[in-house]
Amino acid sequence: MDQHASDAIGRPDLIDLGGGLVCLRFETLKVVSAVAAVRQLIEAGTVRPGDTVIDSSSGVYAHALALACHRYGLRCHIVGSTTVDPTLRAQLDVLGVRLEQMASTDDLRLDQNRRVRRVREIIAAHPDYHWMRQYHDPVHYLGYREVAETIRREVGGALTLVCGVGTGVSSGALGTYLREEDPDTRMVGVQPFGSVTFASDGVPDRDIIIAGIGSAIPFGNVDHALYDTVHWTGFEAALSGTVDLLRRHAVFAGLSSGAAYLAARWEREHDPARTVVFVAADTGHRYTDSVFARHKEAVAVEDLKPLHITDTAELRLPWARMEWRRAGAPRQARFDRAG
């Protein structure tokens, strides 16, 4: 029996979609990460019950950290993105979270920079607060070890992991732990256009930047040298993948999950000796209007294929693929830990 709601919410489901394709479906991806991170900080004496932890979030991590704080008796302060929706705001309020939400802007870089700057201001005024630094502190890797062990136990064989990159934590942790047993595990990162992480910032997507899997600032938790291949998907391609995932497999998931599904289908088709596990990071509820209500706009996924490139200067919408070959970070994504 679970001891807290975060156990049930954080536990993923492995769904065999057939044909060597497996969906690792989360209700909220970052719960296992936030709970394990907070537990480690408490065990180390870094924070104690009643203390306040703080971080910046576009939404999913805010919910995860709120659950972890509820479980361990901490206070939670979130500087939230413009993308935090009314449903999440209400949950955070009831859970006792102090939320400061940034004013609306179309500029993701401005939104992220403002949030981090505001966190620094709060920390300066309250030095007793603990900054979780989800973008940079590797303590957030810890929660995914058990998930990786479940994948290896239940799936086994030659694996390819397909995952939205985002902060680098989920894909980096899962890939690292899977490679401890099988160094040949392939890692495929999924990115939106307009993100600095894998140098697509020069190709903006006029419709939307897919929340959660890209960034306008460098993230210390992204280890570029882990990734064998990178897919960049625009909104229209991701919408088609998301709708097909629900229509074909009855998996109701978010836009980043649709992008990962699209990439996973391609990788499985072109390397059928491997089982491809892709991560569905969250449910589709917050995409009801922006994606699912527009399902008639979806293109048949069989009619979509990526542009194969050898240099990020060749990136083009709506979908591109490149062999990254475990190379280092591009210039704009290099994180200075001393800075």
Side-chain angles (χ1 to χ4, degrees):
M1 183 179 297
D2 293 328
Q3 301 302 307
H4 189 265
S6 57
D7 290 328
I9 294 171
R11 185 186 306 111
D13 306 306
L14 272 171
I15 306 172
D16 186 353
L17 303 187
L21 198 61
V22 175
C23 176
L24 180 66
R25 177 194 173 275
F26 288 85
E27 181 174 341
T28 303
L29 172 71
K30 296 183 178 181
V31 171
V32 292
S33 177
V35 168
V38 168
R39 181 188 301 121
Q40 173 65 21
L41 292 170
I42 287 177
E43 289 175 353
T46 305
V47 296
R48 296 175 174 82
D51 287 352
T52 298
V53 298
I54 185 171
D55 215 339
S56 162
S57 173
S58 61
V60 173
Y61 184 76
H63 183 211
L65 187 59
L67 290 170
C69 289
H70 182 275
R71 180 171 189 162
Y72 290 107
L74 299 174
R75 295 185 175 92
C76 184
H77 191 143
I78 294 292
V79 178
S81 168
T82 60
T83 59
V84 176
D85 59 41
T87 300
L88 179 55
R89 283 201 302 270
Q91 288 186 74
L92 296 178
D93 192 28
V94 172
L95 287 169
V97 175
R98 179 175 180 183
L99 172 67
E100 294 186 37
Q101 189 168 7
M102 295 289 99
S104 179
T105 176
D106 293 328
D107 186 335
L108 178 62
R109 179 181 294 274
L110 178 61
D111 179 59
Q112 286 186 317
N113 282 334
R114 285 190 310 180
R115 283 189 275 134
V116 173
R117 185 168 60 247
R118 177 57 183 150
V119 170
R120 292 185 184 278
E121 292 172 352
I122 295 168
I123 290 291
H126 299 276
D128 56 317
Y129 284 13
H130 178 79
W131 187 2
M132 292 297 297
R133 290 171 62 84
Q134 64 148 326
Y135 303 146
H136 312 307
D137 191 337
V139 71
H140 291 90
Y141 269 49
L142 299 176
Y144 292 104
R145 178 173 288 280
E146 185 175 347
V147 178
E149 291 171 352
T150 299
I151 295 172
R152 181 57 66 190
R153 182 176 63 252
E154 296 194 19
V155 180
L159 292 180
T160 294
L161 175 71
V162 179
C163 187
V165 177
T167 64
V169 172
S170 57
S171 59
L174 289 171
T176 296
Y177 297 143
L178 287 170
R179 281 180 178 165
E180 287 180 354
E181 183 171 332
D182 181 8
D184 191 45
T185 300
R186 294 192 69 250
M187 281 186 59
V188 178
V190 180
Q191 280 278 280
F193 290 91
S195 170
V196 303
T197 309
F198 282 89
S200 66
D201 47 310
V203 188
D205 188 337
R206 64 181 178 82
D207 288 303
I208 190 172
I209 288 184
I210 302 170
I213 64 171
S215 176
I217 59 176
F219 287 162
N221 273 335
V222 176
D223 182 354
H224 294 77
L226 290 173
Y227 300 89
D228 297 289
T229 304
V230 179
H231 284 251
W232 295 263
T233 55
F235 174 74
E236 293 179 358
L239 179 148
S240 297
T242 305
V243 170
D244 192 82
L245 182 58
L246 177 58
R247 180 178 289 138
R248 192 184 303 254
H249 300 292
V251 176
F252 182 56
L255 194 60
S256 68
S257 305
Y261 167 67
L262 198 64
R265 283 177 53 91
W266 182 268
E267 295 298 324
R268 171 59 186 171
E269 181 180 345
H270 291 83
D271 192 357
R274 289 178 171 271
T275 299
V276 179
V277 178
F278 73 94
V279 175
D282 59 0
T283 65
H285 293 89
R286 65 174 175 160
Y287 298 98
T288 300
D289 294 329
S290 60
V291 174
F292 293 102
R294 300 170 58 179
H295 66 90
K296 292 182 180 179
E297 300 174 27
V299 176
V301 293
E302 294 83 359
D303 295 337
L304 295 171
K305 63 179 181 180
L307 171 68
H308 293 275
I309 64 173
T310 58
D311 190 283
T312 55
E314 303 167 12
L315 280 166
R316 298 289 185 277
L317 287 160
W319 181 11
R321 178 187 184 277
M322 178 176 163
E323 296 293 350
W324 192 258
R325 304 185 192 281
R326 306 191 187 187
R331 173 191 51 79
Q332 57 268 62
R334 293 171 188 160
F335 177 71
D336 181 8
R337 291 194 178 274

